[in-house]
Amino acid sequence: LLRMLAGHTGWINDMTAYGTMLITASWDKTIRIWDGETLLCKKILTGHKEIINMIAIHEDRLFSYSENEKCIKVWDLKSFICIKDIDLSSFWDNSNMNGSFMGIYAGELMFLRVKNKVLFFDIKSFELKKIVPWHEDGGTGSKIYAVLINDCF
């Protein structure tokens, strides 16, 4: 262990690098922006009301997902301001289906809900572009996932 990040008051659920920054998302409902060399916290992003499960980056935008909030927040990484809330509550149906992946593919924000559907949002307007069914195959979802992506574009 070379250095420890000190600051979050809950588990770190996800982390990613952006330029010279390290970005972490936590159970403490915050996102922390760290200097990649000194590992000192430069900025704390607040706004989520629940645990932050996942983060993804595209250009100068940070996307943070909270399963309990049923939303994705979009942050500008230059101003560190939340510029958009993407409400996902209409896609929940009380059948214990939760988000399991968020990332960028072919210039679109992709959000995956296991056993149900894959949602694709326009990366610039944040509007929902398409919904593709997710098919359960008994535990080898990554194979189905690859097929779905190829079939989408």
Side-chain angles (χ1 to χ4, degrees):
L1 179 66
L2 298 175
R3 287 203 176 145
M4 179 183 285
L5 298 175
H8 280 296
T9 58
W11 294 102
I12 293 175
N13 284 333
D14 202 0
M15 71 171 43
T16 190
Y18 175 73
T20 61
M21 297 182 278
L22 180 64
I23 303 173
T24 55
S26 173
W27 278 41
D28 66 9
K29 306 171 192 168
T30 68
I31 297 165
R32 290 187 182 246
I33 312 294
W34 308 85
D35 180 286
E37 292 182 18
T38 66
L39 297 183
L40 295 175
C41 183
K42 294 170 50 173
K43 191 78 174 166
I44 302 171
L45 306 183
T46 60
H48 277 286
K49 298 177 186 110
E50 297 290 341
I51 294 167
I52 303 166
N53 303 90
M54 292 177 270
I55 54 177
I57 292 179
H58 179 70
E59 296 177 355
D60 60 350
R61 299 287 189 251
L62 171 69
F63 300 87
S64 58
Y65 164 67
S66 171
E67 178 181 323
N68 291 339
E69 267 183 271
K70 299 174 182 64
C71 81
I72 296 171
K73 290 189 179 291
V74 184
W75 305 84
D76 180 274
L77 285 175
K78 292 179 182 172
S79 65
F80 300 109
I81 293 173
C82 181
I83 59 171
K84 179 76 174 176
D85 284 313
I86 301 173
D87 182 12
L88 301 172
S89 60
S90 64
F91 301 102
W92 259 250
D93 61 6
N94 296 327
S95 60
N96 197 26
M97 291 180 245
N98 57 5
S100 64
F101 177 82
M102 183 174 63
I104 310 301
Y105 184 82
E108 293 181 304
L109 174 66
M110 180 176 53
F111 176 74
L112 172 67
R113 290 190 59 212
V114 176
K115 299 181 185 174
N116 194 349
K117 56 190 73 123
V118 182
L119 309 175
F120 291 90
F121 295 90
D122 182 275
I123 202 73
K124 299 203 184 306
S125 70
F126 315 118
E127 298 300 319
L128 182 64
K129 287 184 75 173
K130 65 184 115 196
I131 301 173
V132 178
W134 172 262
H135 301 284
E136 179 66 30
D137 72 341
T140 57
S142 61
K143 292 177 185 173
I144 296 297
Y145 176 68
V147 171
L148 278 176
I149 295 303
N150 289 335
D151 289 345
C152 291
F153 299 98

